[in-house]
């Protein structure tokens, strides 16, 4: 059994190495086709090595015995994102063909929903796969926002940086790490970011229209993140009130109960209402989810 596990683990790690090799092959094809400069090459190679290292470490920690078909699709998308990243880096030195950048981005966006469907149909959904998919999406949005910001202004960078700012904020405020209920609205807004940035980056519309499309994407993203943060904050209040109630119920008298409530700054008589509110939100989510 131990030998089988070791063999499976090696196969999983080999798939990530193959992914890095394919990424380098894509860079070679791009370099040959457009004469990509050092900036594009270095950025693309760094992306390939970083993806291989992070993914290999995550697979080792997760203990997965097989890579899975869905993760292969996501790895293919990551390869396309690496190509887009190299082209965007090269665009600061020269002007790569916009059609090539748009084409790679469009395919990566089209494949966004494929890996999830493959995972569900094959029964290979994993927490690692979901996180891998999310990180590839987030990085693609960041790269596209960098590209579009050169034409529309640095404010577009807020679109790509918002998710990373949320992760950084969660380190300071741990209540932001609580799981969110499923939301169709959140998924729709996330998908629209890539589409809007692709439209603005393609530069097929007048400047004012591109500006409006990017601004719409940012507004929707602010609304989505704001709604989720509000939900998480309200949930944290409910949890705090519940913990306070548990502590005070173990007291020896009314004085201890009153003191515990005052120390927490929470009126315990509101606890049941808040708990009911949390239960309803966890079942149904906020309006529009």
């Amino acid at each position: 059994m131990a030998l089988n596990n070791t063999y499976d683990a090696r196969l999983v790690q080999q798939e990530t190495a193959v992914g890095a090799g394919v990424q380098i092959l894509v860079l070679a094809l791009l370099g040959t086709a457009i004469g990509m400069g050092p900036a594009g090459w270095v950025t693309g190679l760094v992306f390939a090595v970083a993806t291989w290292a992070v993914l290999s470490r995550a697979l080792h920690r997760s203990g997965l015995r097989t890579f899975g078909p869905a993760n292969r699709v996501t790895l293919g998308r990551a390869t396309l994102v690496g190509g887009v990243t190299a082209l965007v880096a090269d665009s600061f030195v020269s002007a790569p063909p916009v059609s090539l950048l748009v084409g790679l981005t469009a395919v990566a966006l089209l494949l966004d929903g494929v890996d999830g469907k493959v995972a569900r149909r094959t029964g290979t959904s994993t927490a690692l796969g979901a996180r891998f998919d999310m990180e590839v999406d987030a990085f693609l949005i960041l790269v596209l926002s960098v590209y579009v910001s050169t034409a529309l202004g640095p404010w577009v960078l807020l679109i790509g940086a918002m998710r990373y700012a949320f992760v950084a904020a969660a380190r300071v405020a741990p209540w932001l790490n609580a799981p969110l209920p499923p939301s169709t609205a959140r998924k729709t807004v996330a998908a629209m970011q890539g589409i809007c940035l692709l439209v603005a980056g393609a530069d097929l519309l007048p400047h004012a229209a591109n500006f409006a499309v990017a601004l719409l994407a940012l507004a929707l993203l602010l609304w989505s993140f704001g709604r989720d943060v509000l939900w998480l904050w309200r949930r944290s209040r409910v949890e705090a009130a519940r913990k306070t109630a548990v502590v005070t119920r173990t007291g020896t008298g009314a004085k201890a109960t009153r003191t515990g409530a005052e120390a927490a700054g929470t009126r315990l008589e509101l606890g049941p209402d808040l708990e009911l509110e949390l239960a309803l939100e966890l079942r149904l989510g906020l309006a529009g989810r």
Side-chain angles (χ1 to χ4, degrees):
M1 181 65 69
L3 290 177
N4 288 337
N5 287 338
T6 301
Y7 179 70
D8 291 337
R10 288 179 178 176
L11 284 179
V12 171
Q13 296 297 336
Q14 286 174 4
E15 295 212 39
T16 63
V18 170
V22 172
Q23 179 72 83
I24 295 174
L25 176 61
V26 169
L27 292 176
L29 292 175
L30 291 176
T32 303
I34 67 171
M36 191 166 57
W41 271 102
V42 171
T43 304
L45 289 173
V46 169
F47 178 89
V49 173
T51 301
W52 168 78
V54 172
L55 185 57
S56 296
R57 183 169 181 266
L59 286 168
H60 178 73
R61 295 177 64 180
S62 68
L64 290 179
R65 298 182 61 185
T66 59
F67 195 63
N71 285 335
R72 294 188 185 101
V73 175
T74 308
L75 186 59
R77 289 181 53 233
T79 301
L80 295 176
V81 172
V84 173
T85 302
L87 291 176
V88 171
D90 195 58
S91 69
F92 287 92
V93 180
S94 60
V98 176
S99 58
L100 181 57
L101 190 148
V102 170
L104 291 177
T105 302
V107 175
L109 291 175
L110 288 173
L111 291 176
D112 186 17
V114 174
D115 43 14
K117 291 181 180 179
V118 171
R120 289 187 292 271
R121 290 182 179 179
T122 59
T124 55
S125 299
T126 62
L128 174 62
R131 181 65 182 273
F132 185 25
D133 179 53
M134 182 187 304
E135 295 300 337
V136 171
D137 290 341
F139 193 79
L140 176 59
I141 298 303
L142 176 62
V143 171
L144 289 177
S145 67
V146 170
Y147 180 72
V148 176
S149 69
T150 59
L152 300 182
W155 63 270
V156 182
L157 294 174
L158 292 173
I159 298 175
M162 197 169 300
R163 192 257 173 182
Y164 296 98
F166 180 86
V167 172
R171 293 182 177 273
V172 180
W175 53 269
L176 290 171
N177 287 313
L180 287 161
S183 171
T184 302
R186 186 189 309 118
K187 293 179 180 179
T188 302
V189 170
M192 287 186 64
Q193 301 306 303
I195 296 173
C196 289
L197 289 173
L198 178 61
V199 170
D203 201 23
L204 297 175
L205 303 176
H207 181 82
N210 289 332
F211 190 95
V213 168
L215 187 61
L216 174 63
L218 178 59
L220 289 173
L221 196 60
L222 287 170
W223 169 79
S224 181
F225 269 95
R227 189 182 64 153
D228 286 344
V229 169
L230 176 61
W231 190 91
L232 291 169
W233 176 72
R234 294 171 70 183
R235 182 184 187 278
S236 69
R237 287 186 59 211
V238 173
E239 291 297 327
R242 181 179 296 161
K243 291 179 181 178
T244 301
V246 170
V247 171
T248 55
R249 285 169 188 165
T250 60
T252 57
K255 181 177 180 180
T257 301
R258 184 172 60 255
T259 301
E262 292 173 354
T266 305
R267 294 178 61 188
L268 293 181
E269 57 267 25
L270 294 180
D273 294 335
L274 287 173
E275 290 188 9
L276 176 60
E277 179 184 359
L278 174 63
L280 291 174
E281 288 183 351
L282 286 177
R283 288 178 178 272
L284 303 177
L286 295 175
R289 289 181 184 272

